[in-house]
Amino acid sequence: AIIAAQSAAPAEKLKVAFVKNVEAKIAEANGNMAAARDLYACVLASVPRNLLSPCQEALPKETLDWSGSSWAESLFASTLALGPGTEGSLSGTCGGGQALVGKKILSLPTLTLSDCEACGLRLSGKWVDTAGGEGTFRLWMNGNGRRFEGTLRGGADGDKPWSGVRKATAAAGHGGRSRGRGGRGSGRGSTLRAQQPPSRVKWLYEAYLGRARCSLVLADAAAAVADAKAATELCCRTVMGWSALAEALKKADGVEAAKEAWEEVEYLKAR
């Protein structure tokens, strides 16, 4: 179907690209990374320009309001839900349930936030839990509304760092539907931020990532970064590209350089 949609010359190029893509995957699977990279390069050189445009819509901007927000939080690996409290303040809960620690299943306390005061990107207040602990907390939302970091103070274990990633909403999932056909995870009311590449460009997306993998093995981290970035530009809501970019940036410039890419992976996965 993809080939049929092209005129004669581009269609012939696509046939060559598909054949070379199969050969590249075989060479990579056999550990011949240099040959595989050259074959992936042939694939990418044969791509019609109309397939190179971004094919997934960027996610809408997040609100910077704390009220009504839900977060995948780090302390209990649970959902922190924030809503109206008493006398105009906010309240929230998280924790509870069970966790496997070593070989034992332990019940986790439920944490309740109260007297929460939101001041711009900062949220502070008090906490108590069902295990008898209590204290205060202070959190800061980052400038794009996607994450928070802060500290839970007090309790038997002392101060603890606390972070979270904003969870997806139905509105966010629906608002980011992919252009055209393909892109699973984009249906009406969906809460999935992450999508698969549309079928018409999946082979192209995989070729970028294949060449990036080969470049990493061949100690060419800069080339791997360039191809992984191209994959994220083509399909900005597909996790594999951001993971590949994080790995390439880590090899090229160290852990700190890969931080934003890893944060994008976490954000896309949060649901």
Side-chain angles (χ1 to χ4, degrees):
I2 299 171
I3 294 175
Q6 304 293 324
S7 59
E12 192 59 36
K13 280 190 172 183
L14 274 178
K15 289 179 183 177
V16 172
F18 289 163
V19 171
K20 294 296 184 183
N21 202 28
V22 172
E23 292 175 354
K25 289 180 178 180
I26 293 172
E28 185 183 358
N30 289 333
N32 192 343
M33 297 303 181
R37 184 163 74 160
D38 289 343
L39 288 165
Y40 282 126
C42 291
V43 173
L44 295 169
S46 303
V47 177
R49 292 187 64 182
N50 66 310
L51 293 181
L52 294 174
S53 299
C55 61
Q56 294 173 342
E57 292 183 10
L59 286 161
K61 291 183 178 179
E62 295 285 6
T63 175
L64 299 181
D65 292 335
W66 287 99
S67 182
S69 62
S70 295
W71 307 82
E73 58 83 32
S74 62
L75 285 180
F76 302 98
S78 68
T79 297
L80 170 63
L82 295 167
T86 59
E87 299 181 357
S89 67
L90 297 177
S91 64
T93 58
C94 64
Q98 296 179 322
L100 183 63
V101 180
K103 296 183 179 181
K104 295 182 178 180
I105 298 177
L106 302 179
S107 295
L108 299 176
T110 297
L111 185 79
T112 299
L113 307 182
S114 62
D115 298 330
C116 304
E117 180 183 356
C119 182
L121 299 179
R122 188 187 71 193
L123 183 71
S124 58
K126 302 175 182 178
W127 67 268
V128 296
D129 66 26
T130 52
E134 60 180 351
T136 62
F137 71 92
R138 183 170 291 184
L139 308 175
W140 283 267
M141 190 189 305
N142 67 0
N144 60 20
R146 293 182 171 191
R147 304 178 63 86
F148 74 72
E149 293 185 359
T151 307
L152 192 77
R153 297 190 172 99
D157 298 325
D159 296 355
K160 295 180 181 179
W162 199 10
S163 62
V165 179
R166 189 186 290 267
K167 301 192 74 169
T169 64
H174 173 56
R177 288 183 292 174
S178 62
R179 299 188 183 115
R181 292 172 292 178
R184 288 179 294 166
S186 57
R188 183 174 297 274
S190 170
T191 59
L192 297 178
R193 294 188 182 116
Q195 297 176 353
Q196 295 298 317
S199 58
R200 64 188 176 87
V201 298
K202 184 178 179 182
W203 62 276
L204 169 58
Y205 183 82
E206 291 176 347
Y208 277 128
L209 296 187
R211 190 165 70 169
R213 288 192 301 271
C214 294
S215 293
L216 277 184
V217 174
L218 296 169
D220 190 352
V225 168
D227 280 329
K229 280 185 177 178
T232 64
E233 290 167 1
L234 181 68
C235 298
C236 64
R237 293 176 61 173
T238 302
V239 172
M240 290 183 296
W242 291 102
S243 295
L245 179 58
E247 290 292 345
L249 287 169
K250 180 181 176 181
K251 288 284 187 180
D253 300 309
V255 174
E256 191 61 28
K259 182 179 178 181
E260 286 189 16
W262 282 127
E263 288 180 352
E264 192 71 19
V265 170
E266 289 182 336
Y267 179 69
L268 287 172
K269 286 183 173 181
R271 49 187 287 191

